[in-house]
Amino acid sequence: MNVVIVGYGMAGSRLAAELHARDGDLKVVVLGAEPHRAYNRIMLSTLLAGKVAEPDVELAEVAGQGVDVRTGVQVTTIDRDARVVHTDDGDRIPYDHLVLATGSRAIVPPLPGLDPADLPERVVPFRTLDDCRRILAAAEGARSALVLGGGLLGLEAARGLAARGLDVGVVHPVPYLMERQLDPTGAAVLAGTLAGLGVTTHLAVAATRVAADADGVRLDLADGRSLSADLLVISCGVRPDTALAAAAGLAVERGVVVDDQLRTGDPRISAIGDCAQHDGTLTGLVAPAWAQARVLAQALTGEDPAARYRPRPVVTRLKAAGIDLAAMGDPADGPGEELTFADPARGTYARLRIHEERLTAAILLGDNPSVGQVVQLFDRGAPVPADRRALLLGRALGGTAAAPAESPALMPDAATVCQCNDVRKGALVACWRAGARTVDEVVATTRAATGCGGCREAVAGIVDWLSEADSVGATR
């Protein structure tokens, strides 16, 4: 069977790897519009901060018989009757099954002075590797930058530029930052933390005009102020890239509509990742995209023809130098008891919502030893402990550290360590028992910590625990 994957981003490359790993009787062609090999988009903010180099954000290349990866190739049309895709280089590629993994595009707001097709040199969206390169080039010799958009990606860009020594301002039309993940109190604490890191926030004010020339950028605001900088980064959200699907007559709402098996209305065409809309919801995150790739690979290879995609609770992490944030669930008020703690001077905020002894939402900002336990309780829907204070603060009632969440020995094998790849503690232990002896070996085998990288410390802790346990056993 010929499988053609349109898109070589994080979803398309993972699907190719999943298909290749199952060694089914498939011929896979991957068509990527970008000229690069696949890369980890989540790590672009770390690249922007100068903490890693470009080779560090590249994803493992799919290699082997039966997989043909072509970069710099744009699919122009889909002929569903002939089951052929046409490319911009004149090629016609037949398929038995077509997978759309076209991702999403950065939204450029309709402001005077901004033409999405012809942006000024000093005005750059933050979405792709090429965008990142342009931002880094513009940041050379720059002293200041503005970021339009105070969501997760905008704040990551702002922190990355501040880490390079730039004076950074964030303009956000909503009264508080990251409104989809935070409440006003937590966002205020985050704004204070950012201020200490060199990032100023301008909230509840919309941009009205952009003016850019060789000397810099001016951003006019609705309150009459004008902000100037050497560089403007646009981070106003993304929009699923559905043009190809719509032109082919597939059902498109906000994204390409798919069922539980990721199929569109045409049973020979599937969609995964940012471009797909499942059960009325867009994903926009790596963990759901990779889960969809796994389910589709199971179905296409015959490993599990009845495989279904079931969304899991989403945990959002913002982990940059000086910032540690975990948010899960809906921050809006809901049923159940609320527990909160705030220490703005130390950049700490914690909020838990508990309903029927289950954690339904949480925000943890700052150094909180209980973050691992909170994530596990939310992910598994397990009953919360009786000592709510320990869960909120990472401290037991007597003032001692709450150890159960931090000890790998007490973690159940079913505990999810890597949210992005759905890697559980039991898989890490099994990998160790099979012969892996370093963090890098365990990561390479299980894929843990290859998404956002936020769980690498936890993986290292489990590897250290296994090493110590084996050493103790060997001396007995």
Side-chain angles (χ1 to χ4, degrees), residues 336-356:
E337 59 180 302
E338 294 269 357
L339 295 86
T340 59
F341 171 80
D343 186 354
R346 296 189 178 185
T348 300
Y349 177 72
R351 175 188 173 191
L352 307 177
R353 185 188 306 132
I354 299 169
H355 181 55
E356 296 181 348

Side-chain angles (χ1 to χ4, degrees), residues 26 34 70 99 153 184 186 233 266 330 337 458:
L26 302 175
E34 293 185 68
R70 308 180 194 177
V99 182
L153 191 59
V233 175
D266 184 331
D330 188 347
E337 59 180 302

Side-chain angles (χ1 to χ4, degrees), residues 1 23 47 68 103 164 219 229 308 339 376 378 419-420 438:
M1 181 168 69
D23 198 28
L47 177 64
D68 179 11
R164 288 183 172 271
L219 187 65
R308 297 287 191 277
L339 295 86
Q376 291 296 329
F378 177 76
Q419 296 284 330
C420 294
T438 67

Side-chain angles (χ1 to χ4, degrees), residues 41 65 69 116 129 172 202 219 235 264 271 357 406 421 468 476:
R41 197 180 304 276
Q65 186 176 4
V69 177
L129 179 58
H172 195 48
H202 306 272
L219 187 65
S235 182
T264 67
E357 297 303 305
E406 303 304 308
N421 286 291
E468 291 171 6
R476 290 181 177 175

Side-chain angles (χ1 to χ4, degrees), residues 302-325:
E303 178 184 288
D304 182 3
R308 297 287 191 277
Y309 169 64
R310 295 287 182 261
R312 295 184 57 185
V314 174
V315 178
T316 300
R317 299 298 300 266
L318 173 58
K319 196 172 180 66
I323 306 173
D324 193 350
L325 169 67

